[in-house]
Amino acid sequence: MPLKLFTATLSTFDSVFEKFRSEIPQNKANLILFLADNDPSTSLSWCPDCVRAEPVIYKKLEASPNDIALLKVYVGDRPTWRNPHHPWRVDPNFKLKGVPTLIRWENDAVKGRLEDHEAHIENKIEALVADK
């Protein structure tokens, strides 16, 4: 089963998140990946950790035999993200500290998370997906 991808930004998050949540029962694992925006001048993420982690995360999720949904959420450009009052930094559910952050979402709550410095480590991704 191919990975189900959803993509959201600050402005589209609420509607995309609603759709993501409505399909949760169909999937074995539901994950949210918070990422830095791509820099228009290079079309690469401005966050080196995101550049490093993204391909590893996709490779792991695509290799899984289970139905997995991934909501990719772009946090904005660097100045937007650096603001201490960024909506997802202060959100009581997400409490984001860094990007990339990979979250397992279950029962309308964060079940587990991998933060920036560990989001590219394959066995940690596998454990998060398997919910060990």
Side-chain angles (χ1 to χ4, degrees):
M1 177 72 195
L3 182 63
K4 288 184 221 167
L5 276 179
F6 300 81
T7 305
T9 60
L10 268 169
S11 57
T12 64
F13 181 76
D14 290 346
S15 59
V16 177
F17 189 50
E18 217 33 67
K19 180 159 175 33
F20 171 78
R21 285 172 60 200
S22 73
E23 297 189 10
I24 280 177
Q26 304 163 26
N27 309 311
K28 179 87 169 62
N30 296 277
L31 304 167
I32 306 172
L33 176 60
F34 288 94
L35 293 166
D37 282 22
N38 288 343
D39 180 335
S41 63
T42 61
S43 74
L44 285 171
S45 170
W46 54 257
C47 154
D49 288 338
C50 294
V51 174
R52 176 175 65 169
E54 255 195 286
V56 185
I57 291 169
Y58 300 149
K59 187 182 88 177
K60 278 283 143 211
L61 299 185
E62 283 164 0
S64 169
N66 297 318
D67 291 359
I68 295 177
L70 177 66
L71 170 55
K72 287 181 359 181
V73 183
Y74 290 95
V75 300
D77 60 15
R78 194 187 295 259
T80 303
W81 170 244
R82 290 273 179 260
N83 180 339
H85 305 292
H86 187 289
W88 295 320
R89 287 184 185 274
V90 298
D91 183 290
N93 268 318
F94 298 130
K95 299 188 193 84
L96 281 194
K97 294 183 196 73
V99 284
T101 296
L102 182 64
I103 284 175
R104 183 179 175 108
W105 187 256
E106 218 167 87
N107 302 324
D108 255 349
V110 173
K111 186 77 191 300
R113 65 166 66 210
L114 295 177
E115 311 225 313
D116 40 15
H117 56 282
E118 55 184 9
H120 65 286
I121 301 171
E122 297 198 13
N123 60 347
K124 292 195 171 192
I125 299 167
E126 285 169 13
L128 184 74
V129 172
D131 188 28
K132 293 195 176 68

